[in-house]
Amino acid sequence: TLWRLMRAFHNTADVNLTVSQTMLEDLQRRGFDRMQLWPPAVDSQRFSPALRDPAMRSRLSGNRPVELLLLTVSRLAAEKNVGFLTEVLDRVPDGQLAVVGDGPERDALERRFAGRLATFPGCLIGNQLSQAYASADVFVYASETETMGNVVLEAMAAGLPTVAAAAGGVCSLVQHGRTGFLFAPGRADEAAGYVRQLLADEDLRNRMSAAARADACSRNWCSAVEAVRSSYRQAAQIHAQHPGLRPLSWLAVLISRLLILGFSLCTWRRTAAAASVPVQRIDPGADRLPAPAAARLSADVQLAELANEPCSV
């Protein structure tokens, strides 16, 4: 039902853009019309091997900078499948992993990775994130639900060979055997085999590093933006020929807006309910506040926490 709804909604558009060739072909098979590619791009100066930093490498490796270092960068949420990498580490005895990112699953993941050579430096942004990519040796990625996979492209720009699940848009970025390896989703033994191969063979790592960097540098923002401009020009031409709503488009728009309204109401109710619950904190100065002021402070703190969502890398 959801696929039918999405197809009806998108087919009212003059042009539909998606950010990977894999997703474009999948959507065309599902009956989506007027599909075009928004080519993925990366800033190859911001993400570069030249930003390798000894202090960052020491931080990521838990003060074991001499050992080869695996890196994953992700929002720590269930759909990102980061926990799968414990199975990979168990099959790579000398492997150590830095998990960069934050999210609702962080505490659970830290418990799951306990006893293994893994660090959780948290959410890194700006220059620190660029240094993190450049300071590792191999990028590993377990998500099977990516439309494109920005972090994979950033890792490639930093010169990291990638070992990733052969699912979604990542397949459009990683050239198996040239810029990295793609393993069958869920196959920890296959993923670990590729990781061991890269860790053991410095020449292979160097070749894949150079190929990954070259491939990422070819995906620049100038060409990506020009492609989108071209799509807009085509959309304008198509709309001039068919200015009216397409058949059944009003129904798709109506149902979609009702769904969005429903989700918004659910979110508002959860937020309001959470804000009404008093927050208990150990605060030496709390008893000196008048009761109404303490209640207002409690609600304000709760609302501030709700607004401070976990960082998505």
Side-chain angles (χ1 to χ4, degrees):
T1 300
L2 287 174
W3 274 114
R4 288 175 179 172
L5 175 62
M6 286 191 292
R7 182 170 57 244
F9 184 82
H10 280 275
N11 284 350
T12 66
D14 297 304
V15 168
N16 284 290
L17 296 173
T18 187
V19 291
S20 74
Q21 186 64 34
T22 303
M23 293 304 301
L24 185 146
E25 293 169 0
D26 181 58
L27 290 169
Q28 285 178 330
R29 283 193 298 269
R30 293 178 183 272
F32 285 67
D33 297 332
R34 296 173 293 283
M35 296 298 308
Q36 292 187 22
L37 178 66
W38 181 333
V42 66
D43 186 340
S44 56
Q45 292 185 331
R46 179 179 178 186
F47 300 100
S48 166
L51 297 174
R52 191 176 181 92
D53 180 73
M56 176 58 72
R57 184 176 177 88
S58 183
R59 175 183 175 184
L60 295 177
S61 64
N63 295 319
R64 292 164 49 93
V66 177
E67 307 297 329
L68 293 173
L69 178 62
L70 306 174
L71 173 72
T72 193
V73 178
S74 176
R75 181 171 185 267
L76 303 186
E79 71 274 9
K80 297 298 185 179
N81 199 30
V82 177
F84 171 82
L85 296 177
T86 58
E87 301 177 41
V88 176
L89 280 186
D90 289 343
R91 292 166 170 82
V92 185
D94 55 343
Q96 58 175 347
L97 172 69
V99 181
V100 170
D102 208 344
E105 294 289 310
R106 178 171 176 175
D107 290 342
L109 287 169
E110 288 187 353
R111 291 192 296 269
R112 183 167 176 177
F113 277 89
R116 299 172 177 87
L117 294 177
T119 62
F120 284 77
C123 177
L124 303 180
I125 61 175
N127 196 51
Q128 285 193 331
L129 178 60
S130 302
Q131 290 175 342
Y133 281 116
S135 301
D137 299 300
V138 175
F139 189 73
V140 290
Y141 201 55
S143 175
E144 301 172 10
T145 59
E146 299 303 305
T147 304
M148 192 271 278
N150 283 292
V151 293
V152 172
L153 200 51
E154 291 167 357
M156 291 172 60
L160 292 185
T162 296
V163 177
V170 173
C171 298
S172 299
L173 299 179
V174 179
Q175 297 180 42
H176 183 76
R178 181 173 176 271
T179 62
F181 293 112
L182 296 169
F183 60 87
R187 289 290 302 274
D189 53 344
E190 185 182 354
Y194 290 137
V195 170
R196 288 195 300 268
Q197 189 176 344
L198 281 166
L199 294 181
D201 191 337
E202 184 178 2
D203 289 339
L204 176 63
R205 280 201 316 276
N206 291 338
R207 288 198 306 273
M208 285 193 167
S209 171
R213 170 71 180 168
D215 185 279
C217 287
S218 70
R219 302 174 186 266
N220 62 79
W221 280 109
C222 288
S223 57
V225 169
E226 182 51 41
V228 176
R229 284 178 175 154
S230 174
S231 295
Y232 272 109
R233 286 192 288 267
Q234 292 181 45
Q237 294 172 0
I238 294 171
H239 187 74
Q241 298 168 2
H242 306 280
L245 286 176
R246 294 187 170 86
L248 295 181
S249 63
W250 64 270
L251 181 59
V253 171
L254 176 62
I255 295 175
S256 299
R257 287 179 176 172
L258 287 174
L259 281 172
I260 292 169
L261 177 62
F263 285 129
S264 300
L265 288 174
C266 289
T267 303
W268 176 82
R269 289 184 64 182
R270 285 198 300 269
T271 303
S276 67
V277 177
V279 178
Q280 296 181 357
R281 297 195 180 278
I282 301 174
D283 183 355
D287 355 8
R288 293 195 294 271
L289 287 173
R296 286 197 302 272
L297 175 64
S298 178
D300 290 344
V301 169
Q302 181 68 41
L303 287 169
E305 288 182 341
L306 287 167
N308 185 23
E309 297 179 354
C311 175
S312 301
V313 176

